[in-house]
Amino acid sequence: VAHKEVQEVKAHSEVKETEAKKAMDEAMKKMEEERAAMVTHHQKELQAEKEAKEAAEKKAHDDKHQLIQEHQKAIQEFEEAKDISDKKLGREIADLKASLEKANEDHKKELEETLAQGKRTELALKLEAKGTAERL
């Protein structure tokens, strides 16, 4: 009878050991799954941070490029406006110069005409004086 009890205890012990081993294997499997889930979650967070950083860098680069283009466009528009202004000013100067030259020429003609008229008047007065002197 004792031998039978020993065998029953031994069999019961083996069942308990197998159950404990099975429970331990399941616990280890669950811990490994949780660890893998944590690693996956951490990798996803790292990837999201990396993508956010890359997006911010790309936006900063694009913004910088846009500002450079806007600056270059403003410089070009300024240069074009300056060229137009310079040409307009050049035309105004040329017009004023031509106007001044014409005024000088007109004034010169007037002076020449006045001088010629004065000489004719002087000659007429001399002739009149000579005629008056001859009559006397």
Side-chain angles (χ1 to χ4, degrees), residues 40-56:
T40 301
H41 178 73
H42 184 65
Q43 287 175 336
K44 286 179 182 178
E45 285 179 338
L46 289 176
Q47 183 64 29
E49 288 175 10
K50 179 182 175 189
E51 289 172 1
K53 181 181 175 187
E54 288 172 352

Side-chain angles (χ1 to χ4, degrees), residues 66-109:
Q66 182 180 355
L67 284 173
I68 289 170
Q69 285 181 329
E70 289 172 1
H71 182 70
Q72 288 172 339
K73 182 180 178 186
I75 289 172
Q76 182 180 0
E77 289 173 354
F78 172 79
E79 290 295 333
E80 289 171 359
K82 183 179 173 289
D83 288 347
I84 289 170
S85 177
D86 288 350
K87 287 176 185 175
K88 184 178 178 183
L89 184 59
R91 281 193 307 270
E92 288 175 2
I93 290 171
D95 289 348
L96 286 172
K97 186 177 177 184
S99 176
L100 183 59
E101 287 173 358
K102 183 175 181 339
N104 282 340
E105 194 62 37
D106 290 349
H107 187 65
K108 184 179 174 185
K109 285 180 184 177

Side-chain angles (χ1 to χ4, degrees), residues 22-39:
K22 187 177 178 184
M24 192 167 122
D25 286 347
E26 286 180 19
M28 291 292 282
K29 183 179 177 186
K30 186 175 181 183
M31 282 176 47
E32 179 60 28
E33 287 172 356
E34 288 175 357
R35 187 195 71 75
M38 285 174 51
V39 167

